[in-house]
Amino acid sequence: MGGIGRDLREWWERGRALTAANPLLVDIGIALLVQGAVTMPFVVPRAAGSPPATWGAYGLSTLTVLPLVWRRRAPVAVLFAVLATTALYGLAMDGPGQPLPYTGLVVVYTIAALSPAWKRAVTGAVLVVAVPVGVWLNTRSARELTFSVFVIAAAYVFGRLTDARQRAHRVEAEQAAARERARIAREMHDILSHAVSLMIVQAEAGPVAVRTAPERAEAAFDAISATGRDAMAQLRHMLGVLRDGTDEADGTEPREPQPGLATLPGLLDRVRGSGLDVVYRTVGDAAPVADGVGVTVHRVVQEALTNVVRHAEAKVVTVQLAYTRDELEVTVTDDGRGARAVSRRGGHGLVGIRERAAAHGGSAVAGPRADGHGFEVRVRIPLSVPAKAGT
């Protein structure tokens, strides 16, 4: 059953894609369905004394349906064409009647769903005249007039509901695109800011090390290379998500996994290569976390360390992960300039940290340490709250 369900979904999605790409096919299909409906009174048995089902009457009824093929491109013109052919049928032909004004309902629905307000107003004014005239030409009964007004009003309401739903879908799609752009910008900032900051620090120390400690210079250049390669790998992964999930070289190699808790030691080693003493510890029983939480923790630590390297003038930084039953607390503290560096840390990095934490239902605070020595970033992430889209 599962395989059949998947096949049906695939066929359904293919059909939706085909109709979305070829709306004319939908309009032709609707016209054929309406033609089938108006054909019924001509082929079913009729009571004695009923109007004859002639080929002329059938041909003219077909002319009332044919304009539906152009209902999207010129809905008001199609409405006038349908009204004209329907009036001609009622005046010139004594053929079978129709239980419902099929073509009129389709056109009214289309105008309500796709047309601007002024076209809808024109349609309303025309129908206020056309519906009573059509009833007078047909049965001249109040019952038919009431029924006709009801079904046409229902078609209009359904059209407006369709327009509202489509507008809501467009707004939702735009919001999703905005969230995705913000996520990509945040990722780009974190990756490039961290890599460039480390490379600058190591490059500035390189010339001094060449003269005083060649072995340290070699290590600094190796660290620059490693940092650049890691940044390129992360950028390739992120851009691969925007393409189709395959490697640019041959289109077959899968993307590398997203960074997470397992990649933290490598991140800390690269920062140590800049000369900063990095202490890493965990508190409590380490618990498995969702992939999205792991990515967030990695990026939070990465951005906090980037700020330390760029602004703090620190010698030691401590990264601590504290696990409780319901929460993971990430703390990054340094022994640097503290309050004196606050004004230099107010860029997009700390904003991004708060946004990442909030996306998982958590919180983030950052500021000078209580003792006035150094800076602290503290992030709390619940382990049982699902992340929001776009994290």
Side-chain angles (χ1 to χ4, degrees), residues 181-194:
R181 286 194 298 269
R183 185 191 69 82
I184 292 172
R186 199 163 53 229
E187 294 283 333
M188 291 281 288
H189 172 273
D190 290 351
I191 293 170
L192 294 177
S193 177
H194 176 77

Side-chain angles (χ1 to χ4, degrees), residues 46 61 69 248 291 332 334 341 365:
R46 291 178 301 281
S61 69
V69 175
E248 184 178 7
D291 291 342
V332 180
D334 64 68
V365 293

Side-chain angles (χ1 to χ4, degrees), residues 157-243:
V157 170
F158 285 140
R160 296 308 300 150
L161 290 176
T162 299
D163 177 63
R165 185 173 66 252
Q166 292 173 345
R167 288 176 182 272
H169 288 169
R170 286 194 293 269
V171 170
E172 183 179 353
E174 291 170 358
Q175 291 175 344
R179 289 194 298 268
E180 184 65 8
R181 286 194 298 269
R183 185 191 69 82
I184 292 172
R186 199 163 53 229
E187 294 283 333
M188 291 281 288
H189 172 273
D190 290 351
I191 293 170
L192 294 177
S193 177
H194 176 77
V196 172
S197 296
L198 290 183
M199 294 167 71
I200 289 174
V201 169
Q202 292 157 348
E204 289 176 343
V208 177
V210 166
R211 294 190 295 270
T212 59
E215 67 282 356
R216 287 184 55 194
E218 183 177 352
F221 294 138
D222 289 342
I224 292 173
S225 177
T227 301
R229 284 196 300 269
D230 178 72
M232 287 298 298
Q234 293 189 58
L235 289 173
R236 284 184 63 192
H237 173 275
M238 185 175 65
L239 297 177
V241 173
L242 300 179
R243 293 195 303 268

Side-chain angles (χ1 to χ4, degrees), residues 22-82:
N22 302 276
L24 181 60
L25 293 179
V26 178
D27 296 338
I28 293 174
I30 290 175
L32 291 175
L33 288 175
V34 174
Q35 181 62 34
V38 301
T39 301
M40 291 299 172
F42 288 87
V43 297
V44 298
R46 291 178 301 281
S50 298
T54 63
W55 283 107
Y58 182 70
L60 189 54
S61 69
T62 300
L63 288 180
T64 66
V65 177
L66 184 61
L68 294 182
V69 175
W70 295 275
R71 69 186 185 96
R72 295 177 194 264
R73 283 171 283 183
V76 176
V78 169
L79 173 66
F80 281 105
V82 167

